[in-house]
Amino acid sequence: MKTENSNLLTAGAIAKQLAMPDTKVKKAIADLKIKPTAKKGVCNYYSKDVVAKVKAAIK
């Protein structure tokens, strides 16, 4: 089932893509003060360019 957020990623999806724990990804997002591109309920969705920023922050 496709949604309008098909090109956006949750913190969990970013963690899977980077093969890192969710907590490290969420902490990196918070430390970098990255705002979500979209929000649906309690889920935050981030654009794909956030992946590189999070990866650089964790390494």
Side-chain angles (χ1 to χ4, degrees):
M1 189 161 62
K2 290 272 187 183
T3 65
E4 65 277 358
N5 295 331
S6 62
N7 61 340
L8 300 176
L9 303 168
T10 62
I14 294 170
K16 278 185 184 178
Q17 192 171 356
L18 297 175
M20 306 247 173
D22 290 0
T23 53
K24 279 190 174 185
V25 172
K26 289 178 183 178
K27 184 178 181 328
I29 289 171
D31 290 346
L32 294 170
K33 296 181 176 135
I34 298 172
K35 300 288 183 199
T37 304
K39 192 167 183 158
K40 185 172 184 181
V42 296
C43 293
N44 293 322
Y45 293 91
Y46 303 95
S47 61
K48 291 184 180 185
D49 64 329
V50 170
V51 176
K53 292 177 187 175
V54 169
K55 186 176 181 179
I58 293 174
K59 295 285 176 177

